[in-house]
Amino acid sequence: MCGIIGYIGEREAVSIILEGLKRLEYRGYDSAGIGILKEGKLSILKCKGRISYLQTLLEKKQISARIGIGHTRWATHGEPSSRNAHPHSDFSRHIAVVHNGIIENYQELRKQLEKEGVRFTSETDSEIVPNLIKKFYEGDLRKALRKVIKILRGSYALGIISVDEPDKIIAIRNDSPLIIALGKKENFIASDIPAILAYTRKVIYLNNGEIAVVGKDDVEILDKRGRKVAVSPEKVSFNIELAQKKGFKDFMLKEIYEQPSVLSRILSQYVKDNRIDFKTSGISPSLLKSIKEVVIIACGTAFHAGLVGRYLLETFSRLPVWAELGSEFRYRHPVIGKKTLVIAISQSGETADTLAGVREAKRRGARVISICNVLGSSLIRESEAYLYTYAGPEISVASTKAYTAQLTLLYLFSLYLARVKEKISAEQSKKVISYLKKIPQAQRKVLEREAEIKEIARKHLHFGAFLYLGRGVNFPTALEGALKLKELSYIPAEGYAAGEMKHGPIALIDEYRAVVCIANDSPLYEKMFSNIQEIIARRGKIIAIASEGNEQIKRLIKEVIFIPSVEPLLSPLLTVVPLQLLAYYLASLKGYDVDKPRNLAKSVTVE
Ligand code: F6R
């Protein structure tokens, strides 16, 4: 949420910052701004709306500089407007700051500063930061910042420039992500890697409380007390290509299509000679031997992956398993302890609610491992061990490839745990792995139906509401299908366990409601088929997901998306794909920006 970038070097800062902001736009897109230093002056340009508006403004002004900071915003305090956009400066316009996060005690600090004569121009929590730095400034920005952070409460990643020290950008992070990227005679700060990939792959992941002093030729990292910290930069494993659309209309469509290769990549990383190899993850068999229960913590789509994971872990390892929403878990006084294994799932590794859940779990003595797509993220650093999802950067706000990547790791982990606990044989594990290996090809077959799914979406554009029904391991798929639809197309959609229909939701069925029924081959198929008949009897309009060769459904329902028949327990890796495409087309045919749905942002770093 909110994207930050900063540049110092010998090239044109404005265009580099603008390009970086475009690559960070998925983190927020209600307003944007840029601040530069030139000839002893600070200039700030900002506006409401997308980066493209900012670009038009900048083209008119034709400003240029060698140092600057930029920001793309997802509003928390204060409506989207140009005055609430970042950068914010102190009242004397010496210092400019971009901020990602929330300053929780900003009201009391603002009152105090107002008493001291500071006039504020925005409604944001962020504007207190440049004013506090100014208040404490005695010729050294670093020292002033150290004083400021002693009184700030909340989460922040900050990028700071000042006319008094025009040869550096100062940056700090506390519970909001920030990287420092190293080039030749140029350096960068950024919220996320895609912003800097066009220039360098050498990065430093800042730790909480560390201050970075970023000059053109050197970078210094200081701890809370101002002592130098020795750091070795890391090399980012993916390149700029992975963060581009590569001929697809949107990132979302590209990412849907990447799913078969992501799944194959995960298998090639973690399966050796048909055996699961988690050596690189830090997961030790002795840790797993000691645990008696599993709690999965996640939010949104990752939570839906967790719900599938619950079926898998219970099926294979025979341990009790719960899947919990991060935002609820931490406030529930959960009964967990050192025999509890917590699996935190997150694409970004920065979701504030998931992280809060993890911290609560650790406080109560639980052991924490994570499934995550961002190396160097807060979640990975706070976990005892982690399974990296190898999905590459997920740019579209709606999660697709990260979801099936998380599922794949959950299959592998469930088998691994079951083997450690001696609940399944090596042969059983091999068999499931052999089924998993067939999934990428089956996913490709589903993707071949894109045109058909687009046509079904076109026919359903006028429906005012959708219901998604699934059973067993595909109940979470129904929840995920409904989430994809509502977040992209703004059509009200609900996911339900099909068996729950008769306990209430059946009252909703009429000819104006579309009902998406997941009816693939499974031990629960007959029950699902009965539910379908109940819906037809009430004139509900059905779109069915069924296994190829199902003549019964073909005879009964006009709109059927056929998918290859796979082992039922593995079907969530397949059934979700047509639902992703359906949501994609229901939104894009309505003319919506599928990569950046309204009110949303990727990487939800506020609670
Ligand atoms: C929905 C979506 C969100 C995220 C959720 C958690 O398409 O993307 O629901 O799944 O915000 O994000 P991560 O996985 O980064 O923790």
Side-chain angles (χ1 to χ4, degrees), residues 305-317:
L307 289 173
V308 177
R310 178 179 171 185
Y311 277 86
L312 309 178
L313 285 157
E314 284 179 349
T315 304
F316 293 125
S317 73

Side-chain angles (χ1 to χ4, degrees), residues 299-302 345-349 351 397-399 406 483-484 487 604:
C299 302
T301 289
I345 309 174
S346 172
Q347 188 285 130
S348 62
T351 300
V397 165
S399 187
Q406 289 156 358
L483 174 61
K484 286 287 94 85
E487 71 179 322
V604 186

Side-chain angles (χ1 to χ4, degrees), residues 214-370:
V214 183
K216 172 170 81 75
D217 298 307
D218 47 27
V219 169
E220 219 176 55
I221 309 292
L222 309 171
D223 69 10
K224 283 180 187 152
R225 294 220 210 126
R227 291 173 307 198
K228 256 184 151 184
V229 180
V231 281
S232 19
E234 291 177 40
K235 191 157 180 230
V236 177
S237 58
F238 52 83
N239 58 26
I240 186 75
E241 291 238 304
L242 278 172
Q244 288 170 337
K245 284 188 200 159
K246 288 215 256 169
F248 283 91
K249 188 164 162 275
D250 322 275
F251 279 109
M252 182 176 174
L253 197 57
K254 175 192 166 226
E255 288 161 8
I256 289 174
Y257 269 85
E258 280 176 329
Q259 292 178 106
S261 50
V262 170
L263 206 155
S264 302
R265 199 179 307 145
I266 295 172
L267 294 181
S268 69
Q269 290 293 334
Y270 293 113
V271 179
K272 309 268 146 70
D273 295 328
N274 284 321
R275 288 180 52 193
I276 297 162
D277 179 348
F278 280 157
K279 269 192 209 98
T280 55
S281 70
I283 294 174
S284 74
S286 64
L287 154 67
L288 300 187
K289 273 188 187 137
S290 69
I291 59 133
K292 297 266 182 275
E293 59 179 7
V294 180
V295 175
I296 300 172
I297 302 177
C299 302
T301 289
F303 172 68
H304 297 154
L307 289 173
V308 177
R310 178 179 171 185
Y311 277 86
L312 309 178
L313 285 157
E314 284 179 349
T315 304
F316 293 125
S317 73
R318 305 305 303 138
L319 287 177
V321 185
W322 291 269
E324 304 276 353
L325 291 165
S327 53
E328 290 295 320
F329 174 78
R330 63 174 300 207
Y331 297 112
R332 246 198 29 221
H333 309 295
V335 185
I336 55 172
K338 57 180 191 302
K339 302 251 181 251
T340 312
L341 176 72
V342 163
I343 307 176
I345 309 174
S346 172
Q347 188 285 130
S348 62
E350 299 295 346
T351 300
D353 288 321
T354 305
L355 287 169
V358 161
R359 288 170 194 150
E360 177 63 20
K362 280 165 78 173
R363 206 177 61 76
R364 289 173 186 266
R367 314 291 296 264
V368 176
I369 65 168
S370 55

Side-chain angles (χ1 to χ4, degrees), residues 428-491:
Q428 283 169 306
S429 170
K430 269 188 198 163
K431 202 163 159 191
V432 180
I433 290 169
S434 74
Y435 296 148
L436 263 175
K437 286 184 175 167
K438 292 188 181 137
I439 297 289
Q441 189 48 23
Q443 286 178 330
R444 284 190 191 97
K445 287 257 175 246
V446 180
L447 292 169
E448 283 170 14
R449 296 195 181 265
E450 182 190 343
E452 214 177 286
I453 296 170
K454 182 176 180 182
E455 206 35 47
I456 293 177
R458 193 189 303 283
K459 287 190 205 159
H460 289 78
L461 281 175
H462 62 286
F463 278 79
F466 279 66
L467 206 58
Y468 285 71
L469 301 178
R471 276 178 176 267
V473 76
N474 276 306
F475 162 45
T477 314
L479 296 176
E480 176 57 10
L483 174 61
K484 286 287 94 85
L485 186 67
K486 60 189 145 194
E487 71 179 322
L488 295 173
S489 71
Y490 322 133
I491 301 172

Side-chain angles (χ1 to χ4, degrees), residues 490-533:
Y490 322 133
I491 301 172
E494 272 191 276
Y496 257 101
E500 272 291 294
M501 279 287 288
K502 54 191 176 294
H503 301 292
I506 201 160
L508 291 170
I509 304 292
D510 60 24
E511 62 266 49
Y512 308 110
R513 199 161 311 261
V515 188
V516 180
C517 296
I518 305 167
N520 59 303
D521 289 349
S522 91
L524 297 173
Y525 169 74
E526 281 179 8
K527 297 243 179 294
M528 193 68 215
F529 191 69
S530 304
N531 295 136
I532 286 177
Q533 280 174 319

